[in-house]
Amino acid sequence: MKILISMLFLMVGYTAVAQLVLPLYPDTIPGSTVKLSKEDAPTLTLYLPIKEKATGTAVLVIPGGAYGFLAFEEEGIAIGKAFAEKGIAAFVLKYRLPKKETMRDKSYGPLMDAQQAMKVIRSNAVNWNVNPAKVGVIGYSAGGHLASTLGTHFTKSYIPNKDNIGLRPDFMILVYPVISMDDQLTHMGSKINLLGIEPSKEKVDLFSNELQVTKETPPTYLTHCGDDQVVDVNNSIVFYQALQKNGVDAELHLFPKGNHGFTQRLPVSEWLDPMLGFLKREGFYK
């Protein structure tokens, strides 16, 4: 896998932002019970900054879609390109949607893919001009839930990881995220798609990420709108409160209006510059 990635990387060179689409797994896909079609197989799309711009910082980009589809263009590709233009290597994740027909336990499929993506990025850090200590994650909506799951469940590897590569993101950026699986807060479509109709209390608590924050949770930037009609703004608020309680650096940017998906309707600089400011203050970006 490393040799293949190296060859592909050298082929595109550094003359422009490089785009590569790589299979996320070299062979067996953990947790799958069937052979996946090309359309359903998880991938990682790379946007690598030109050498002169590269800062060593990297971000795993996780699109939303209520765990029922992927908003891959607007919350994936567009985000990856924007970060790469600022010298941040971006890796857009096409993760498996949770399906009981194709997975042993559908609730863990997306997390496996997110952990595998972190492993692949850090394993190939030298090839991709990435500092393995500056690899974070950004997630949107249900992708924000997956990103926050990655950032709160990193002590257990749900994938083969014989080299014990670190799965903890160094920072998190969560944009109008689903955080909780509690009925009073959650986006019900995301909850049902991930956990099923009647999940156990243990499973609900496990994937309610406001309950999983510790002092080891990565520094986090959150943004949301008060009039979000899809994902309750209190998802971001309760996660921020949990971070504060545990002494984790956190920024929370709330706006009175804008509804769900508000960053998609803004000029890039209006949503990206505050994120870069956060990364600078935390020492992840120059």
PDB file of all heavy atoms in Angstrom, residues 235-253:
ATOM      1  N   ASN A 235     -26.429  20.919  20.504  1.00  0.00           N
ATOM      2  CA  ASN A 235     -25.400  19.902  20.322  1.00  0.00           C
ATOM      3  C   ASN A 235     -24.017  20.511  20.490  1.00  0.00           C
ATOM      4  O   ASN A 235     -23.168  19.975  21.209  1.00  0.00           O
ATOM      5  CB  ASN A 235     -25.531  19.267  18.929  1.00  0.00           C
ATOM      6  CG  ASN A 235     -26.586  18.197  18.852  1.00  0.00           C
ATOM      7  OD1 ASN A 235     -26.321  17.023  19.073  1.00  0.00           O
ATOM      8  ND2 ASN A 235     -27.822  18.614  18.557  1.00  0.00           N
ATOM      9  N   SER A 236     -23.788  21.638  19.839  1.00  0.00           N
ATOM     10  CA  SER A 236     -22.489  22.296  19.956  1.00  0.00           C
ATOM     11  C   SER A 236     -22.268  22.850  21.358  1.00  0.00           C
ATOM     12  O   SER A 236     -21.160  22.793  21.900  1.00  0.00           O
ATOM     13  CB  SER A 236     -22.377  23.431  18.923  1.00  0.00           C
ATOM     14  OG  SER A 236     -22.204  22.920  17.623  1.00  0.00           O
ATOM     15  N   ILE A 237     -23.340  23.379  21.953  1.00  0.00           N
ATOM     16  CA  ILE A 237     -23.209  23.992  23.277  1.00  0.00           C
ATOM     17  C   ILE A 237     -22.841  22.952  24.337  1.00  0.00           C
ATOM     18  O   ILE A 237     -21.939  23.177  25.160  1.00  0.00           O
ATOM     19  CB  ILE A 237     -24.502  24.735  23.647  1.00  0.00           C
ATOM     20  CG1 ILE A 237     -24.685  25.954  22.720  1.00  0.00           C
ATOM     21  CG2 ILE A 237     -24.487  25.164  25.113  1.00  0.00           C
ATOM     22  CD1 ILE A 237     -26.017  26.653  22.858  1.00  0.00           C
ATOM     23  N   VAL A 238     -23.516  21.795  24.342  1.00  0.00           N
ATOM     24  CA  VAL A 238     -23.218  20.796  25.371  1.00  0.00           C
ATOM     25  C   VAL A 238     -21.806  20.218  25.185  1.00  0.00           C
ATOM     26  O   VAL A 238     -21.128  19.885  26.167  1.00  0.00           O
ATOM     27  CB  VAL A 238     -24.261  19.667  25.415  1.00  0.00           C
ATOM     28  CG1 VAL A 238     -25.631  20.209  25.769  1.00  0.00           C
ATOM     29  CG2 VAL A 238     -24.300  18.863  24.130  1.00  0.00           C
ATOM     30  N   PHE A 239     -21.361  20.121  23.940  1.00  0.00           N
ATOM     31  CA  PHE A 239     -20.007  19.613  23.713  1.00  0.00           C
ATOM     32  C   PHE A 239     -18.981  20.632  24.187  1.00  0.00           C
ATOM     33  O   PHE A 239     -17.984  20.269  24.831  1.00  0.00           O
ATOM     34  CB  PHE A 239     -19.809  19.296  22.236  1.00  0.00           C
ATOM     35  CG  PHE A 239     -18.621  18.406  21.964  1.00  0.00           C
ATOM     36  CD1 PHE A 239     -18.616  17.097  22.394  1.00  0.00           C
ATOM     37  CD2 PHE A 239     -17.516  18.883  21.278  1.00  0.00           C
ATOM     38  CE1 PHE A 239     -17.521  16.260  22.149  1.00  0.00           C
ATOM     39  CE2 PHE A 239     -16.415  18.068  21.031  1.00  0.00           C
ATOM     40  CZ  PHE A 239     -16.425  16.745  21.470  1.00  0.00           C
ATOM     41  N   TYR A 240     -19.232  21.904  23.911  1.00  0.00           N
ATOM     42  CA  TYR A 240     -18.348  22.956  24.397  1.00  0.00           C
ATOM     43  C   TYR A 240     -18.280  22.938  25.926  1.00  0.00           C
ATOM     44  O   TYR A 240     -17.191  23.052  26.512  1.00  0.00           O
ATOM     45  CB  TYR A 240     -18.844  24.316  23.909  1.00  0.00           C
ATOM     46  CG  TYR A 240     -18.054  25.487  24.442  1.00  0.00           C
ATOM     47  CD1 TYR A 240     -16.823  25.834  23.900  1.00  0.00           C
ATOM     48  CD2 TYR A 240     -18.542  26.245  25.508  1.00  0.00           C
ATOM     49  CE1 TYR A 240     -16.094  26.904  24.404  1.00  0.00           C
ATOM     50  CE2 TYR A 240     -17.826  27.319  26.017  1.00  0.00           C
ATOM     51  CZ  TYR A 240     -16.602  27.636  25.456  1.00  0.00           C
ATOM     52  OH  TYR A 240     -15.886  28.694  25.966  1.00  0.00           O
ATOM     53  N   GLN A 241     -19.419  22.768  26.572  1.00  0.00           N
ATOM     54  CA  GLN A 241     -19.447  22.732  28.030  1.00  0.00           C
ATOM     55  C   GLN A 241     -18.651  21.542  28.574  1.00  0.00           C
ATOM     56  O   GLN A 241     -17.937  21.669  29.574  1.00  0.00           O
ATOM     57  CB  GLN A 241     -20.893  22.677  28.520  1.00  0.00           C
ATOM     58  CG  GLN A 241     -21.654  23.974  28.297  1.00  0.00           C
ATOM     59  CD  GLN A 241     -23.137  23.855  28.632  1.00  0.00           C
ATOM     60  OE1 GLN A 241     -23.728  22.776  28.504  1.00  0.00           O
ATOM     61  NE2 GLN A 241     -23.736  24.955  29.068  1.00  0.00           N
ATOM     62  N   ALA A 242     -18.759  20.405  27.892  1.00  0.00           N
ATOM     63  CA  ALA A 242     -18.006  19.226  28.326  1.00  0.00           C
ATOM     64  C   ALA A 242     -16.508  19.455  28.154  1.00  0.00           C
ATOM     65  O   ALA A 242     -15.700  19.053  29.004  1.00  0.00           O
ATOM     66  CB  ALA A 242     -18.453  18.005  27.527  1.00  0.00           C
ATOM     67  N   LEU A 243     -16.124  20.106  27.066  1.00  0.00           N
ATOM     68  CA  LEU A 243     -14.710  20.431  26.852  1.00  0.00           C
ATOM     69  C   LEU A 243     -14.207  21.369  27.947  1.00  0.00           C
ATOM     70  O   LEU A 243     -13.116  21.172  28.509  1.00  0.00           O
ATOM     71  CB  LEU A 243     -14.522  21.059  25.472  1.00  0.00           C
ATOM     72  CG  LEU A 243     -14.793  20.151  24.268  1.00  0.00           C
ATOM     73  CD1 LEU A 243     -14.929  20.991  22.996  1.00  0.00           C
ATOM     74  CD2 LEU A 243     -13.690  19.115  24.104  1.00  0.00           C
ATOM     75  N   GLN A 244     -14.994  22.390  28.247  1.00  0.00           N
ATOM     76  CA  GLN A 244     -14.615  23.332  29.297  1.00  0.00           C
ATOM     77  C   GLN A 244     -14.458  22.628  30.646  1.00  0.00           C
ATOM     78  O   GLN A 244     -13.498  22.878  31.379  1.00  0.00           O
ATOM     79  CB  GLN A 244     -15.682  24.429  29.402  1.00  0.00           C
ATOM     80  CG  GLN A 244     -15.658  25.439  28.268  1.00  0.00           C
ATOM     81  CD  GLN A 244     -14.521  26.430  28.450  1.00  0.00           C
ATOM     82  OE1 GLN A 244     -14.521  27.220  29.385  1.00  0.00           O
ATOM     83  NE2 GLN A 244     -13.558  26.391  27.545  1.00  0.00           N
ATOM     84  N   LYS A 245     -15.395  21.761  30.947  1.00  0.00           N
ATOM     85  CA  LYS A 245     -15.355  21.042  32.228  1.00  0.00           C
ATOM     86  C   LYS A 245     -14.091  20.217  32.365  1.00  0.00           C
ATOM     87  O   LYS A 245     -13.559  20.049  33.476  1.00  0.00           O
ATOM     88  CB  LYS A 245     -16.588  20.144  32.340  1.00  0.00           C
ATOM     89  CG  LYS A 245     -16.688  19.387  33.649  1.00  0.00           C
ATOM     90  CD  LYS A 245     -17.966  18.554  33.696  1.00  0.00           C
ATOM     91  CE  LYS A 245     -18.063  17.765  35.005  1.00  0.00           C
ATOM     92  NZ  LYS A 245     -19.311  16.950  35.051  1.00  0.00           N
ATOM     93  N   ASN A 246     -13.584  19.724  31.233  1.00  0.00           N
ATOM     94  CA  ASN A 246     -12.405  18.865  31.258  1.00  0.00           C
ATOM     95  C   ASN A 246     -11.109  19.612  30.951  1.00  0.00           C
ATOM     96  O   ASN A 246     -10.056  18.984  30.798  1.00  0.00           O
ATOM     97  CB  ASN A 246     -12.589  17.708  30.286  1.00  0.00           C
ATOM     98  CG  ASN A 246     -13.517  16.639  30.820  1.00  0.00           C
ATOM     99  OD1 ASN A 246     -13.093  15.745  31.536  1.00  0.00           O
ATOM    100  ND2 ASN A 246     -14.799  16.753  30.486  1.00  0.00           N
ATOM    101  N   GLY A 247     -11.178  20.934  30.863  1.00  0.00           N
ATOM    102  CA  GLY A 247      -9.983  21.733  30.665  1.00  0.00           C
ATOM    103  C   GLY A 247      -9.389  21.639  29.278  1.00  0.00           C
ATOM    104  O   GLY A 247      -8.180  21.849  29.099  1.00  0.00           O
ATOM    105  N   VAL A 248     -10.224  21.339  28.269  1.00  0.00           N
ATOM    106  CA  VAL A 248      -9.760  21.229  26.894  1.00  0.00           C
ATOM    107  C   VAL A 248      -9.960  22.567  26.188  1.00  0.00           C
ATOM    108  O   VAL A 248     -11.040  23.169  26.277  1.00  0.00           O
ATOM    109  CB  VAL A 248     -10.533  20.130  26.138  1.00  0.00           C
ATOM    110  CG1 VAL A 248     -10.088  20.065  24.682  1.00  0.00           C
ATOM    111  CG2 VAL A 248     -10.345  18.784  26.822  1.00  0.00           C
ATOM    112  N   ASP A 249      -8.935  23.052  25.497  1.00  0.00           N
ATOM    113  CA  ASP A 249      -9.054  24.299  24.741  1.00  0.00           C
ATOM    114  C   ASP A 249     -10.203  24.177  23.734  1.00  0.00           C
ATOM    115  O   ASP A 249     -10.274  23.190  22.980  1.00  0.00           O
ATOM    116  CB  ASP A 249      -7.771  24.607  23.988  1.00  0.00           C
ATOM    117  CG  ASP A 249      -6.669  25.114  24.898  1.00  0.00           C
ATOM    118  OD1 ASP A 249      -6.913  25.252  26.110  1.00  0.00           O
ATOM    119  OD2 ASP A 249      -5.552  25.360  24.394  1.00  0.00           O
ATOM    120  N   ALA A 250     -11.084  25.173  23.701  1.00  0.00           N
ATOM    121  CA  ALA A 250     -12.225  25.119  22.798  1.00  0.00           C
ATOM    122  C   ALA A 250     -12.670  26.521  22.423  1.00  0.00           C
ATOM    123  O   ALA A 250     -12.582  27.451  23.227  1.00  0.00           O
ATOM    124  CB  ALA A 250     -13.388  24.364  23.444  1.00  0.00           C
ATOM    125  N   GLU A 251     -13.115  26.668  21.190  1.00  0.00           N
ATOM    126  CA  GLU A 251     -13.741  27.903  20.714  1.00  0.00           C
ATOM    127  C   GLU A 251     -15.120  27.562  20.184  1.00  0.00           C
ATOM    128  O   GLU A 251     -15.283  26.592  19.439  1.00  0.00           O
ATOM    129  CB  GLU A 251     -12.916  28.544  19.600  1.00  0.00           C
ATOM    130  CG  GLU A 251     -11.604  29.130  20.054  1.00  0.00           C
ATOM    131  CD  GLU A 251     -10.915  29.937  18.963  1.00  0.00           C
ATOM    132  OE1 GLU A 251     -11.615  30.401  18.026  1.00  0.00           O
ATOM    133  OE2 GLU A 251      -9.690  30.112  19.037  1.00  0.00           O
ATOM    134  N   LEU A 252     -16.105  28.378  20.551  1.00  0.00           N
ATOM    135  CA  LEU A 252     -17.476  28.180  20.096  1.00  0.00           C
ATOM    136  C   LEU A 252     -17.960  29.458  19.429  1.00  0.00           C
ATOM    137  O   LEU A 252     -18.022  30.504  20.065  1.00  0.00           O
ATOM    138  CB  LEU A 252     -18.379  27.832  21.283  1.00  0.00           C
ATOM    139  CG  LEU A 252     -19.880  27.725  21.011  1.00  0.00           C
ATOM    140  CD1 LEU A 252     -20.183  26.647  19.977  1.00  0.00           C
ATOM    141  CD2 LEU A 252     -20.634  27.449  22.320  1.00  0.00           C
ATOM    142  N   HIS A 253     -18.249  29.375  18.131  1.00  0.00           N
ATOM    143  CA  HIS A 253     -18.721  30.524  17.363  1.00  0.00           C
ATOM    144  C   HIS A 253     -20.186  30.294  16.988  1.00  0.00           C
ATOM    145  O   HIS A 253     -20.491  29.434  16.157  1.00  0.00           O
ATOM    146  CB  HIS A 253     -17.869  30.710  16.102  1.00  0.00           C
ATOM    147  CG  HIS A 253     -16.441  31.049  16.381  1.00  0.00           C
ATOM    148  ND1 HIS A 253     -15.908  32.297  16.136  1.00  0.00           N
ATOM    149  CD2 HIS A 253     -15.424  30.318  16.909  1.00  0.00           C
ATOM    150  CE1 HIS A 253     -14.633  32.308  16.488  1.00  0.00           C
ATOM    151  NE2 HIS A 253     -14.319  31.117  16.959  1.00  0.00           N
TER     152      HIS A 253
END
